[in-house]
Amino acid sequence: MELILCEKETQAEHIAEFLTMSAVHRKKQHYRKGNTVIAYPKEGHTVVLQPPEFYIPEIAKGWNIDLLPVIPETFAYKVDEKQKKAFKTLERLFSKATEVIVATDPDPDGEGIARNIIRECGYKGPVTRVLYGAMDEDSLIEAFNNRLPIEATDFLFNQWVVRTCSDWLVGMNITQAMSVLVQTITGERGAFNSGRVILPSVELVYAREKEHKEFKPVKHYEIKVDVEINGQPVTLKWEPPKVSKKGRYLVNKRIAEKARDEFLKLDEVKVLIEESTKEKAPPLPLDTDALIGEANGEFKLSPLDTMNAAQRLYRPRALCTYVRTEKRYLPESQHKLAPPIIKELLGLPDFRGVSEHIDPNRISKAFNDKEVKMAKQAITPTRASVSEIYGYLNEIEKKVFYLIARHYLAQFMPPAISQSIKLTAGKGALSLKGTDSVLIEPGWKSLFGEESTDKKLYPHSLTAPVIDVRVEEKMTDPPALYTKTSLVRKMKKLLDKSDLVNGKSDLSRLANKGIGTAGTRPRIIEKAIKAKLLEETPEGKLVAGERYKAYRRFVPEALRDEKQSLVWELGFDAIENGDITPDEFIEFQKGVVKKLVNEVKKSYKELINHA
């Protein structure tokens, strides 16, 4: 018997329909037609890691900091208590299987679900893997026609193992230790939620809030000179010599006023004008975090609402490709699928006005095999019949699908062409500069609501009358507090350019690294809010919760340092690349956790001794 293993009922339903099964083939937790069975667990993670009390039974009587750390020599698994009955159905099906096809999601989570079920069911026969980036018919045909040996996705399972075991080691031990410490201080029950990703994420918010409160604004000055060109006022800005500035700003009012007085002496200035025409290619298709940013910027959707809607569009709607991704490129082979997808999208009201500008034969830089790997690709619409399904979408789903479709269609539109104008006047210490830009051909930008304007005609140089000269007093702004969306963006890419220069080249290997995964970041933020480690203001800004501020000093510094989390992420990459084994990495993590627990225990003993 051929057994196809899915991770959820909706996934199994889609694959059953693809394999021409109907309601008559539906049984308890599976579909059956002839010699083919499609099985699925009641919940995704049927098999879970054993709890701490499995290794130290005394913990079942109550959390005790003296029993920590709990460091399993070998991690043990069990069937989730709530799913034992459902698991027996899987065991019965696997006992009759002669071949297993893994058809779970193409990520570490899907791989972990499948491999653990196969192991716990005691199945020893042949196993193959199908990887699909979408659940439309074309994607499934290609996936099932190109099954891989299960060994080809060992790296996904290894990632799942090390992430899950690392999270267990940190979460179970530090949560217990910190909870006991906090309970000792307050006398109240309740857990202090601690984890490898949640704590550095909260610390990012705490640090930004502190920086915001302690920010001292800098008063600075700008000199603006209005001149007349072609009968219209044009503003030029004085560029002070570096020696006159403090960092980026001119802070000396006397120098500003002196410069103003010099410009007031001028009746006219000679303006040199440089024009250039620039083409701008369309933005790449969306990944998870880009989709979250677009949805918040355009529709004010929260990260979690966006992700939930996107997940429904992937499954059960089958209208888009897999949504938990950090890739913004597409396989080159997918380009041939463009015509029918474009035809479906242009039937929607939002896109009917751009049909004449769409060229299905256009190949953008998004189609690049070097940037994709094993179903890891950007989020795009599928060939599913949009017209038949669109009416069933709720309003949030429609908005999210619109954003996905818009970025996809942009790949088949002409580049945007703009005219850039650079104006310079004066010389030396009294030089003036100005810029202007005009959109001549909107190209793909018409999808984003931008329209062309008339090209401005300037001579290469002219003498322009001076209309006005003024000193503008300004204040620097404090760093903005995080929102849910901007925190997701920061979690994806922790280090900015300033971290990678000025003698910090040792951090260059951490560039473009983040904490958490594309699919987990929004939920981590919501979890932190629920645990009162974060709070959201009425204006939608995030601040550290009073609970975190009160006990932050007891949280080990390594768990507050986002760079330590980045080092762990490098370890996960090393496992994927085969540079280290999962066992080696987990042993390293065990050593780290021992040190972290000892830090909390030291603080705990100091509290007891001073009580």
Side-chain angles (χ1 to χ4, degrees):
M1 181 183 78
E2 177 187 73
L3 189 150
I4 301 171
L5 180 61
C6 298
E7 64 183 81
K8 290 183 179 179
E9 183 177 356
T10 53
Q11 191 177 53
E13 183 179 355
H14 267 285
I15 293 178
E17 184 179 351
F18 165 69
L19 295 177
T20 68
M21 296 186 192
S22 62
V24 299
H25 301 104
R26 186 168 188 163
K27 314 295 179 185
K28 183 179 180 182
Q29 275 184 250
H30 69 284
Y31 289 81
R32 182 191 297 270
K33 182 178 182 182
N35 202 39
T36 299
V37 166
I38 304 170
Y40 57 92
K42 183 179 179 182
E43 300 289 341
H45 285 284
T46 301
V47 180
V48 297
L49 288 169
Q50 288 281 7
E53 53 266 31
F54 175 82
Y55 308 99
I56 302 178
E58 293 88 339
I59 289 178
K61 301 175 183 177
W63 287 356
N64 185 338
I65 200 167
D66 293 328
L67 298 175
L68 302 178
V70 183
I71 308 291
E73 183 175 341
T74 302
F75 280 91
Y77 297 82
K78 69 168 186 174
V79 176
D80 189 292
E81 293 295 326
K82 297 178 182 178
Q83 299 195 57
K84 284 189 172 181
K85 185 177 180 181
F87 185 72
K88 289 187 179 299
T89 300
L90 292 177
E91 279 188 309
R92 177 173 54 81
L93 294 171
F94 268 90
S95 68
K96 300 176 181 179
T98 56
E99 178 186 4
V100 169
I101 301 172
V102 174
T104 51
D105 282 345
D107 61 8
D109 231 33
E111 200 73 20
I113 289 170
R115 301 274 188 119
N116 285 326
I117 288 175
I118 291 170
R119 185 190 63 246
E120 291 298 311
C121 285
Y123 176 77
K124 304 293 184 182
V127 182
T128 54
R129 181 63 152 114
V130 291
L131 288 177
Y132 46 87
M135 299 207 71
D136 61 297
E137 185 176 5
D138 285 339
S139 298
L140 292 176
I141 288 173
E142 184 174 356
F144 276 88
N145 285 343
N146 295 278
R147 282 188 281 168
L148 301 171
I150 193 63
E151 294 78 15
T153 53
D154 281 348
F155 74 97
L156 288 176
F157 183 59
N158 289 339
Q159 282 186 6
W160 182 86
V161 169
V162 295
R163 284 186 182 274
T164 304
C165 292
S166 295
D167 289 348
W168 190 100
L169 284 167
V170 176
M172 292 296 183
N173 280 287
I174 305 303
T175 295
Q176 286 192 53
M178 282 296 300
S179 298
V180 171
L181 184 149
V182 170
Q183 289 168 9
T184 301
I185 296 173
T186 64
E188 300 173 357
R189 296 175 63 84
F192 188 90
N193 201 307
S194 304
R196 181 184 62 82
V197 177
I198 194 172
L199 288 178
S201 302
V202 173
E203 181 66 17
L204 286 171
V205 173
Y206 173 86
R208 177 59 64 87
E209 181 187 359
K210 185 172 183 288
E211 189 180 1
H212 184 90
K213 286 180 178 179
E214 296 176 353
F215 178 79
K216 291 181 172 55
V218 176
K219 184 185 293 185
H220 61 102
Y221 304 90
E222 291 182 357
I223 311 298
K224 301 287 182 65
V225 178
D226 290 341
V227 298
E228 183 180 309
I229 299 178
N230 291 347
Q232 297 294 323
V234 176
T235 299
L236 304 179
K237 182 179 175 183
W238 179 48
E239 289 290 325
K242 287 185 179 180
V243 69
S244 304
K245 296 192 292 187
K246 183 178 180 181
R248 295 167 50 197
Y249 303 106
L250 173 63
V251 298
N252 191 313
K253 187 176 182 180
R254 184 182 62 81
I255 293 176
E257 290 176 339
K258 185 177 180 180
R260 177 200 59 195
D261 293 342
E262 291 297 319
F263 285 118
L264 283 170
K265 295 176 182 178
L266 303 175
D267 293 322
E268 57 186 25
V269 292
K270 186 176 182 179
V271 181
L272 300 177
I273 300 171
E274 297 178 42
E275 296 182 25
S276 60
T277 301
K278 296 182 178 179
E279 287 191 358
K280 187 173 183 181
L284 293 169
L286 300 171
D287 65 1
T288 303
D289 296 301
L291 175 60
I292 286 171
E294 290 277 333
N296 181 258
E298 188 135 349
F299 301 118
K300 306 302 180 187
L301 296 180
S302 73
L304 191 59
D305 284 343
T306 300
M307 279 305 298
N308 287 340
Q311 184 63 36
R312 290 193 297 271
L313 290 172
Y314 166 65
R315 189 180 66 227
R317 306 297 194 190
L319 283 180
C320 72
T321 56
Y322 190 59
V323 297
R324 297 181 180 184
T325 176
E326 297 193 4
K327 291 287 187 181
R328 298 191 67 173
Y329 290 87
L330 302 170
E332 294 169 18
S333 61
Q334 281 198 11
H335 189 270
K336 66 179 182 292
L337 302 178
I341 296 175
I342 291 171
K343 183 179 179 181
E344 285 288 332
L345 297 179
L346 293 181
L348 299 178
D350 290 322
F351 303 123
R352 285 172 186 161
V354 300
S355 58
E356 62 183 290
H357 304 294
I358 299 287
D359 179 5
N361 295 315
R362 187 182 298 275
I363 302 177
S364 77
K365 63 181 180 180
F367 294 92
N368 187 340
D369 284 343
K370 294 180 180 178
E371 296 290 342
V372 297
K373 180 182 178 182
M374 286 194 170
K376 293 182 180 180
Q377 63 169 65
I379 309 170
T380 67
T382 65
R383 280 191 64 180
S385 181
V386 178
S387 56
E388 293 180 8
I389 302 173
Y390 190 77
Y392 295 98
L393 304 185
N394 63 38
E395 288 306 308
I396 294 180
E397 290 171 350
K398 287 179 179 178
K399 289 174 179 177
V400 172
F401 183 74
Y402 164 75
L403 296 174
I404 294 169
R406 182 172 69 176
H407 272 71
Y408 181 76
L409 285 175
Q411 308 310 307
F412 305 95
M413 296 187 71
I417 302 175
S418 61
Q419 174 196 20
S420 295
I421 304 157
K422 180 180 178 182
L423 305 98
T424 57
K427 58 182 178 179
L430 293 178
S431 63
L432 295 164
K433 292 184 178 180
T435 59
D436 197 1
S437 181
V438 177
L439 186 62
I440 302 171
E441 294 289 344
W444 60 266
K445 285 192 175 184
S446 62
L447 271 174
F448 294 74
E450 297 190 43
E451 298 179 357
S452 61
T453 54
D454 293 334
K455 182 177 181 179
K456 293 189 175 181
L457 299 176
Y458 287 115
H460 292 298
S461 67
L462 53 79
T463 299
V466 174
I467 303 172
D468 183 41
V469 180
R470 61 193 179 278
V471 176
E472 294 185 355
E473 183 180 292
K474 299 191 172 185
M475 303 291 284
T476 54
D477 295 322
L481 295 174
Y482 286 115
T483 62
K484 290 177 180 178
T485 300
S486 62
L487 182 56
V488 165
R489 189 179 302 121
K490 182 65 173 177
M491 291 167 71
K492 180 186 178 184
K493 187 179 180 181
L494 284 174
L495 301 183
D496 56 32
K497 291 180 180 179
S498 64
D499 293 313
L500 305 174
V501 295
N502 300 325
K504 296 183 180 180
S505 59
D506 57 310
L507 298 176
S508 60
R509 64 197 180 110
L510 302 178
N512 300 315
K513 292 294 178 187
I515 54 176
T517 64
T520 61
R521 292 178 190 124
R523 286 181 171 79
I524 287 168
I525 294 171
E526 296 295 339
K527 184 178 180 180
I529 293 173
K530 186 176 181 180
K532 298 183 179 179
L533 299 178
L534 290 179
E535 296 174 6
E536 187 176 21
T537 70
E539 298 76 28
K541 307 296 184 182
L542 292 177
V543 295
E546 293 303 319
R547 184 171 175 78
Y548 183 73
K549 292 176 181 176
Y551 308 113
R552 173 182 175 273
R553 66 187 187 277
F554 300 115
V555 177
E557 185 176 353
L559 276 179
R560 290 187 268 120
D561 183 5
E562 70 274 13
K563 292 182 181 64
Q564 175 62 51
S565 294
L566 289 180
V567 171
W568 286 337
E569 292 295 329
L570 285 179
F572 299 145
D573 287 348
I575 290 166
E576 180 174 351
N577 297 332
D579 298 330
I580 62 174
T581 67
D583 289 343
E584 289 170 336
F585 185 79
I586 291 172
E587 285 304 311
F588 162 75
Q589 287 286 66
K590 289 178 180 179
V592 171
V593 169
K594 287 177 183 178
K595 292 179 182 178
L596 296 175
V597 170
N598 286 336
E599 282 187 48
V600 182
K601 291 174 84 169
K602 181 181 178 181
S603 298
Y604 175 77
K605 289 177 181 178
E606 289 174 354
L607 281 173
I608 297 298
N609 292 336
H610 288 87

